[in-house]
Amino acid sequence: MAHPDTTYERQHPAFYAVIFTLVFMSVGPIALMFINSFKLDVDIISGTTGLLFLPTIQNYETALCDILPYELDHLDYCSLKFGGAFINSIIITLISTVLTLIIGCMAAYALVRFRFMGRDTVSGTTLMVRMVPPAVLLVPVFGLWNNEFCIGRETWVGEIIRDTFGGRGDVCLAGTHSGIILVYIAMNLPFVIWILQSFIVQVPRQLEEAARMDGAGSFQVFFKVVLPLIKPGLAAAAIFTFRIAWNEYLLASALSDRDTKTVPILIVNNMSEFNVEWGVIMATGMLLAIPPIIFTLFASRQIITGMTAGAVKG
Amino acid sequence: MSYSTINRLTPYIFLAPALVIMVIALLYPLGYMVFGSFRDWDPSQSIGETSFIGLGNYISLWNDPNFHESLIVTLKFAITVVFVEMIVGVGLALLLDRNLRGMSVLRTMFILPMMIAPVVVGLIWRYMYHPSIGIFNQTLEKIGLGSVDWLGQHALLSVIIADIWQWTPFIFILSLAALQSLPRSALEAARIDGASGWQQIIYIKIPLMMPVLIVTCLLRLIDAFKVLEVILVMTEGGPGLSTEILALRISRTATEFRELGVAAAMSNYLLMLLLILTIIMLAFNKLQEMKAERQRRAVEAEKG
């Protein structure tokens, strides 16, 4: 952190020009999407690149039309179904992030603080599965979630679920929120465990031992002493897990059905149509981009810490 | 149960949830995939009903020119992207490693592209590359240079540019962190001995950063093989097969052509490639650790 009375070096004007160009290049495209999301398709297509247009929130209204409380007069019917997808995205992301963090920090703690049989195997496997790409998981997960991880409709659990939610055939993981959440947790765990290990190592052992002397059990030590001390690590891990779950497209598209679609699926589906409605899609894209952008603006330090801790061996 | 049994069980209790989930949703599926890659597997069947065809899927892929094409595109994409990103990223880090007002704001701006969804990145670039309404062609037309067929003829290059935009900051942030944690004494000594800026970079900074740079490079390379959504949104693998990277081909084989067995075999080829890269990275890390340990011992021995 820069100290208040640190003197900053003065730089050559050309240096500032370079910096300005870099910022423009990295933020420009996002700003362009932001601006275009307030334009009507006519304005986008006619190519008024400048800022001379009449801003409108019509695109956002169209995107959110199925959860808006009022009728829209520029639409006959809602075709985008953004609202439902938005809610699905929130449910899936929040639940999977919270669970990943809880499960992940417990596992990281066990790996750092205990010597036990199989420890090296577990930590080695965790390291290796970090490189498995979602595209590779797609094939088996698609098969398993659709055909194997099912509850037969004749069994009593299956019957209850069928009676409550309707539908026909067996009850399978595919097409449910839990199915997607399960994959996301598994996908994020290795990374979270790896990052948190490097934070837990730094917790002074004496603190834990002092707590233990005072009669605290292992779980109390973990929840009352260790967890509060690794808050920065937890924040970093939370942001990364959130980002992956919120942004993920491939597995969600293979595992969701009409009712459990997430926002990225909606965007891809609407991009592959012949007539792309640019304004509405950019508004949708903007809504999808806002949470990560907010995180970046308010927690960039945690993100950078997380990135360096994740890359450099912890 | 005695106190000591509970004590011995504690680590397993802490680990259990993570293990259960990783086994159910990661390891078991991976094993299932290896098993399925030897079968004539269709998504509508349960895997027990499929017939065993030995190495059939692997052999047919080995002889499939489209698969070769896709492999070559993947390698071209990954290697170019990592090469350019390393040079630009490290270069920027060396340039911006100064005591600068507003450095943290700058870093925040730079990490924005990699935080937003790949799908959205694809959407933005597809718009900017659009033949008539895209900003690139409009600007080119205005200067009078004529338009470029970005996502047609030059699709692979365009996709590469988008990835460089998104991921160069990653290299930049990591190399900047490495630069700022270099031992000040070495840099001071060089400066006192009269080393010029370039000499400091080439003889002191880069050699000292090397371990971090190699790990960063390997991490990025592994990630470059995973890229999928950006390309899917921008080109859908086309035109032809010109941007159909392996990950995209796997997902299309599985969901569009419904040939799970073939897709599984393809996934295994990709996994093997990534496994090799990961092993190199881990071995390198281990080596560095051993080296550091040896140095520490040497220093201690000298003191003692």
Side-chain angles (χ1 to χ4, degrees), chain A residues 194-217:
Chain A
W194 162 288
I195 271 200
L196 289 180
Q197 271 180 307
S198 66
F199 283 90
I200 294 176
V201 168
Q202 292 166 7
V203 174
R205 252 168 197 276
Q206 292 89 319
L207 279 182
E208 289 174 53
E209 264 144 33
R212 215 163 272 142
M213 294 292 240
D214 293 342

Side-chain angles (χ1 to χ4, degrees), chain A residues 34-101:
Chain A
F34 181 71
I35 293 168
N36 274 324
S37 68
F38 292 101
K39 282 185 189 173
L40 292 178
D41 276 2
V42 207
D43 286 330
I44 296 177
I45 289 164
S46 71
T48 39
T49 2
L51 292 163
L52 294 168
F53 65 94
L54 211 59
T56 165
I57 56 161
Q58 194 175 308
N59 293 325
Y60 288 92
E61 285 180 321
T62 312
L64 291 167
C65 68
D66 56 331
I67 52 169
L68 286 180
Y70 52 92
E71 293 268 324
L72 299 172
D73 33 347
H74 70 270
L75 280 181
D76 298 335
Y77 66 102
C78 286
S79 59
L80 261 170
K81 289 261 170 228
F82 180 90
F86 197 57
I87 290 161
N88 286 332
S89 272
I90 291 176
I91 294 176
I92 290 170
T93 308
L94 285 187
I95 297 182
S96 65
T97 305
V98 169
L99 289 178
T100 312
L101 280 185

Side-chain angles (χ1 to χ4, degrees), chain A residues 98-139:
Chain A
V98 169
L99 289 178
T100 312
L101 280 185
I102 297 174
I103 298 170
C105 63
M106 282 169 65
Y109 182 65
L111 288 176
V112 172
R113 280 294 188 256
F114 294 93
R115 299 280 163 271
F116 55 91
M117 234 179 61
R119 178 178 170 276
D120 293 338
T121 325
V122 174
S123 96
T125 319
T126 317
L127 261 179
M128 295 303 274
V129 289
R130 216 164 73 102
M131 58 98 190
V132 175
V136 166
L137 273 184
L138 172 77
V139 177

Side-chain angles (χ1 to χ4, degrees), chain B residues 68-83:
Chain B
H68 294 179
E69 181 67 35
S70 166
L71 202 61
I72 291 169
V73 169
T74 313
L75 290 174
K76 267 191 201 162
F77 173 81
I79 292 171
T80 321
V81 152
V82 173
F83 183 73

Side-chain angles (χ1 to χ4, degrees), chain B residues 225-293:
Chain B
F225 284 104
K226 299 184 185 175
V227 172
L228 185 140
E229 284 114 326
V230 179
I231 300 182
L232 175 75
V233 173
M234 281 172 70
T235 67
E236 289 171 45
L241 295 177
S242 60
T243 53
E244 197 176 66
I245 49 153
L246 217 47
L248 194 54
R249 190 168 179 81
I250 292 173
S251 84
R252 295 184 75 182
T253 313
T255 52
E256 263 173 54
F257 312 137
R258 305 179 74 76
E259 293 171 345
L260 283 187
V262 181
M266 223 182 306
S267 304
N268 278 332
Y269 278 128
L270 180 59
L271 265 189
M272 274 186 259
L273 198 77
L274 292 177
L275 199 66
I276 294 170
L277 286 174
T278 311
I279 289 173
I280 294 176
M281 185 173 81
L282 295 183
F284 181 80
N285 264 334
K286 200 91 213 161
L287 216 69
Q288 288 298 324
E289 251 169 58
M290 277 157 61
K291 218 163 130 193
E293 181 71 6

